[in-house]
Amino acid sequence: MGCNLDLGPVWRNLHLALAGIRCKRAAMFKIVGHLALVVFWTLLTQLGGIAWLGALMFRRRLLAFLLLYAGLSLAADRAAPHFGRVALSCWERGPLQMQSWLYCALNRNYVTRELADVLQGTAGAVDSTYPGTVTQVLDANFPFLTGFPLLPHLSHHDGRKADLAFYYAGAKGYSPKATRSPIGYFAFEQGPTECPDNWLTLRWDFEVLQPLWQDLEVDADRTRHLLRILETDSRVGKIFLEPHLQSRLGLRTGKLKFQGCRAARHDDHIHLQL
C-alpha cells in the first residue's frame, strides 16, 4: 500500500527560504560594498565619503557623487580658512604651483597660512636667483581636522607639512615644471643606503617602475639653493632628504634630516615641515 505525499508546498517553502537567504546575503554584500567605498573615498579625499553617502539617495549615483563632491570641495575652499588652513592655488601660474591637478581634485593642497607664506616666499626667492624657476608642491594636507591622516604619509595631518618636487634638467638645461614621474613621486635617485630590505615598511622601491620615468637629472644648483633658503628660515623645523642626496648636494645642517627606514624614501621629493 503506497503513500501519496504532496511535497509541493514543502519545496516551495524551502525555495522561498533559500531565496530570502540569498536576498539578505546580497543586501549585506551591498551594504559592505558601500561602506568600503565610503572608507576609501574618505581616506583618499576626506570629503568623498560624505559625497558617496549623499549619492546613495539618487538613481544616477555616479553623477550625483561627482556633483556632490565638487560642491563639498568648493565649500571646503571657502570654509578651510576659518579652521586655520588655506588652499594652495591650483590655477596660479607664478613661481609656486601645484605639480598636478590631481592633488587639487583630491583636496590634498591645504596648508596653514604660515606654511603657505613659507612656500610662496621660498619659491619667489629661488625664482629671483634663477628666473623662470617653478617650485612645485606635491601632497600637502586635507582642509579639516588636525590628526586626520593623509595616507600614505605618516605626518601630513596638521597643515604644517608639504612635499616639494625636485627641480629637473634635461639635455638642454633646466626644464620648468618637469618631473620624472607624472605625479612627482616614486622616481628615485639611486644611491647608497643602510636600510634593510624589510616587508613591514613604507620604504617602497618600485623597481619595476623606474625604467618608465623620464630621463632627467636633478638640477643640483636650484635644489641646493632651495634647501639653503629653507634652512635659514626660522619658521622651518625639519626637512627630510635621503643622506646620499644630502652628500651629493654638499649640505649637512641641523634641519636636514633622514626620515628613517620605516618611512617613505625621500630621494624622489623633499619633505618640509614647520
Side-chain angles (χ1 to χ4, degrees), residues 209-240:
L209 298 180
Q210 301 312 302
L212 303 178
W213 307 141
Q214 294 191 69
D215 186 17
L216 298 171
E217 294 184 356
V218 173
D219 188 311
D221 291 337
R222 283 175 170 80
T223 303
R224 185 184 299 112
H225 189 56
L226 168 76
L227 291 169
R228 283 175 173 165
I229 293 171
L230 292 174
E231 290 166 3
T232 58
D233 192 324
S234 61
R235 296 168 294 182
V236 175
K238 294 179 182 179
I239 308 164
F240 290 158

Side-chain angles (χ1 to χ4, degrees), residues 29-71:
F29 280 132
K30 185 176 292 187
I31 292 172
V32 171
H34 287 309
L35 288 176
L37 284 172
V38 168
V39 172
F40 170 77
W41 285 117
T42 300
L43 291 177
L44 186 64
T45 69
Q46 192 175 62
L47 303 177
I50 300 174
W52 187 259
L53 284 174
L56 295 178
M57 296 184 294
F58 298 87
R59 291 186 62 184
R60 302 184 67 176
R61 192 166 295 158
L62 180 58
L63 177 61
F65 167 72
L66 293 175
L67 292 175
L68 287 170
Y69 179 72

